[in-house]
Amino acid sequence: MRNEAKVVAITGASSGIGEATARRLAADGHRLFLGARRTERLHALVREIAEMGGTAAFRRLDVTDAADVRAFVAAAHDRYGRMDVLVNNAGVMPLSPLDALKVDEWDRMIDVNVRGVLHGIAAALPVMRAQGGGHLVNIASVGAYEVSPTAAVYCATKYAVRAISEGLRQESDGTVRVTLVSPGVTESELAEGISDPAARQAMKAYRAVALPASAIAGAIAYAVAQPAEVDVNEIVVRPAASAQ
């Protein structure tokens, strides 16, 4: 059964969870507006969705730039006349031990994983309140609940996303729903950004059992499909065969 069609904007939509979510929500009948830096991938994805009979458009997006995120949300609203859901999905994960002192990588994680989510909220919240409702879906990680070696800064950013999401939920009057989705090990390109050799090798073993990105897309689709009076606050999705 197809859900009521909504306008859904997705950040980090060029690969991994964002790409899988675009495919799933398009198949569910929603109208999509996709953002990422790699526009060639977005163009191919939009074409694929159109060939499936879905509706999608895209705009280049850098979530670390607050003005660019505002322009992205405005473009989605201008195209479709409203914006019902924003999936704050963009993220990076260059793991390393703290004593490696990779300060530039720490800053990058904070900029993308934390400021990127805040920029999305700042851009979307006024639009959603003005139209009388909306839904913010923030993608965190099981790293929002636990810390592991080499992942201290990454986990800190995901703890922050969890705290921001819970604070926003408590501040909402119910018209804007807030969902935190925390994936366990999931097939994606995140590990390719790890420059530290030891952390990169450890991640290969850690990711031996991984969920397909479509599993996380299914969790997001479930939250989006709930009626307006139901707010799915937190979803943690892990591989059944993994203790992580």
Side-chain angles (χ1 to χ4, degrees):
M1 181 175 65
R2 293 169 73 87
N3 301 315
E4 177 187 353
K6 296 177 180 177
V7 174
V8 183
I10 304 172
T11 72
S14 61
S15 66
I17 291 169
E19 181 181 5
T21 300
R23 289 195 178 98
R24 171 58 190 270
L25 295 183
D28 286 348
H30 301 298
R31 295 177 290 169
L32 306 182
F33 199 78
L34 310 178
R37 291 181 301 160
R38 295 178 292 185
T39 55
E40 71 285 354
R41 292 196 176 193
L42 293 178
H43 185 273
L45 180 57
V46 165
R47 184 173 62 245
E48 177 187 331
I49 289 170
E51 290 171 353
M52 293 166 40
T55 301
F58 73 90
R59 184 185 188 279
R60 189 188 185 281
L61 173 65
D62 178 358
V63 298
T64 69
D65 183 336
D68 200 30
V69 179
R70 287 194 299 271
F72 172 73
V73 168
H77 187 272
D78 289 347
R79 185 174 187 91
Y80 297 119
R82 60 183 296 111
M83 196 182 74
D84 300 299
V85 183
L86 173 63
V87 182
N88 275 315
N89 167 71
V92 293
M93 190 185 70
L95 304 183
S96 64
L98 288 170
D99 64 8
L101 304 179
K102 292 184 178 287
V103 177
D104 289 346
E105 293 185 357
W106 302 347
D107 289 344
R108 178 67 178 164
M109 280 189 279
I110 292 167
D111 286 344
V112 176
N113 298 356
V114 182
R115 289 194 177 95
V117 169
L118 289 170
H119 293 162
I121 291 169
L125 203 54
V127 173
M128 292 176 176
R129 284 180 171 164
Q131 69 188 16
H135 192 174
L136 286 155
V137 180
N138 297 330
I139 308 303
S141 164
V142 292
Y145 301 86
E146 59 192 32
V147 181
S148 56
T150 76
V153 177
Y154 175 74
C155 292
T157 66
K158 295 304 183 177
Y159 268 78
V161 172
R162 181 182 170 201
I164 291 163
S165 300
E166 175 60 12
L168 181 59
R169 183 194 69 80
Q170 292 184 23
E171 293 172 6
S172 175
D173 63 2
T175 57
V176 176
R177 299 185 293 171
V178 183
T179 298
L180 180 75
V181 178
S182 295
V185 182
T186 304
E187 295 170 357
S188 75
E189 297 178 352
L190 279 177
E192 295 178 12
I194 300 174
S195 65
D196 183 83
R200 191 179 183 92
Q201 186 60 37
M203 185 53 55
K204 289 182 180 179
Y206 184 82
R207 298 171 71 86
V209 178
L211 292 165
S214 59
I216 311 307
I220 295 168
Y222 169 78
V224 168
Q226 299 309 301
E229 67 273 16
V230 177
D231 190 356
V232 178
N233 301 145
E234 297 187 35
I235 304 177
V236 180
V237 186
R238 293 183 173 93
S242 173
Q244 303 298 335

